[in-house]
Amino acid sequence: MEATVLASAPARCPVTRRSLPLSQVYRLLEPGPVVLLTTAGPKRPDVMAMSWHTMMEFEPPLVGCVISGRSLTSSLLKEARECVINVPTVALARQVVGCGNVSGRRVDKFKAFGLTPVAASRVGAPLIEECHANLECRVADTSLVEAYDFFILEVVKAWVRPSRRRPRTIHHQGRGAFMVAGEVVRLRSGMK
Amino acid sequence: MEATVLASAPARCPVTRRSLPLSQVYRLLEPGPVVLLTTAGPKRPDVMAMSWHTMMEFEPPLVGCVISGRSLTSSLLKEARECVINVPTVALARQVVGCGNVSGRRVDKFKAFGLTPVAASRVGAPLIEECHANLECRVADTSLVEAYDFFILEVVKAWVRPSRRRPRTIHHQGRGAFMVAGEVVRLRSGMK
């Protein structure tokens, strides 16, 4: 990656973050959290909020997601073909809504919302330091981008904060309402 | 629809269920609940548990979802090109896990798990009476079925139980663990 893609000098991946086996990525995304998608850009990195995503394969993990063709993220992603899916918790709810309400064409969202870009290991887009998990991705398939703005991403490296066993992820319900992850129930299951 | 597709005589849509405007469907699926997908069949209807789904368009609502090519649901859906996405709450968690652990080729899952099939209004597949919401769907695009088992469905009619304002939906975290929908936080947002 080029050093110029980050607005501020990126730190190395901090020790508070551990590598997550790629086979476990589905356990982060299946419950449907709002995520923050980061992309590198010629001037500065960008970030957008996203709820329209789904797992498509366990390993290597594939994630399908809808990214509006009008967004800056879409044009940066088509160019660089790399991004990071960051999973925030409720502590970042205000920033998530902020990222969803302005365009990176006008605003440096990292600065505006106090988010810290951290250098990723495999892609040019930055991790967001404040997020619970970070999934470094490469674009794997663009065959449905023209018809549906639907990108298929392959997760090539995953990070998670081991300190938070039950992250209070947020789940968009529309019109500024977010459901916060509640209790966990466990049932005997042969499912993965 | 043919009367023979239902194992037991279907009731009409009950008064406890109201029609939901199609423009509001995204508010049910964006938070990432496990859903039960029902299909009609030559002998009896089938039902499977599904977490790999995403909204793809607001209106008409499009839903993308991954359905294993090995499943009975996949072959029934390719044949009938109609299904219902049913949204259960935690009260049905045991049945959801049950539906995910056996094949409809061997078992009548409606009978086995005490689920009640109710006639839909626009498609041959049944609604599940016990679920919080029911989305009648037609297959809209199969171009990624061969490569990824990925179907794009169009929701043509939506039902919801008005009695439950905050349904305690369940969100799969793998290995029999489900996060139950918690509190709702509201923030000022210009997002839909």
Side-chain angles (χ1 to χ4, degrees), chain A residues 24 27 30-31 52-54 97 101 141 148 168 171-173 175-176 178 180 182-183 185 187 190 192, chain B residues 24 27 30-31 51-54 101 141 148 168 171-173 175-176 178 180 182-183 185 187-188 190 192:
Chain A
Q24 300 304 301
R27 305 181 68 184
E30 271 195 45
W52 288 13
H53 59 79
T54 179
V97 172
N101 279 275
D141 190 319
Y148 300 100
R168 299 183 70 215
H171 302 251
H172 192 231
Q173 298 184 315
R175 300 181 187 165
F178 295 86
V180 183
E183 61 177 309
V185 294
L187 293 160
K192 207 169 185 180
Chain B
Q24 299 304 300
R27 305 182 68 184
E30 270 194 46
S51 282
W52 289 13
H53 59 77
T54 180
N101 278 276
D141 190 318
Y148 301 100
R168 298 184 70 216
H171 302 252
H172 191 232
Q173 298 184 314
R175 300 180 187 165
F178 295 87
V180 183
E183 61 176 311
V185 295
L187 293 161
R188 283 176 65 108
K192 207 167 184 180

Side-chain angles (χ1 to χ4, degrees), chain B residues 98-169:
Chain B
C99 287
N101 278 276
V102 299
S103 169
R105 289 195 180 88
R106 293 186 293 114
V107 175
D108 179 338
K109 298 199 214 177
F110 280 87
K111 270 196 187 156
F113 302 111
L115 300 172
T116 310
V118 176
S121 68
R122 304 278 302 276
V123 302
L127 316 181
I128 297 177
E129 166 65 19
E130 289 80 6
C131 284
H132 167 67
N134 316 85
L135 310 174
E136 304 183 20
C137 298
R138 295 218 176 95
V139 173
D141 190 318
T142 58
S143 57
L144 290 192
V145 169
E146 199 178 337
Y148 301 100
D149 292 333
F150 188 73
F151 291 81
I152 301 178
L153 310 173
E154 178 183 338
V155 181
V156 294
K157 180 71 193 171
W159 303 97
V160 70
R161 283 179 185 264
S163 52
R164 300 184 198 149
R165 274 205 59 206
R166 291 191 189 172
R168 298 184 70 216
T169 50

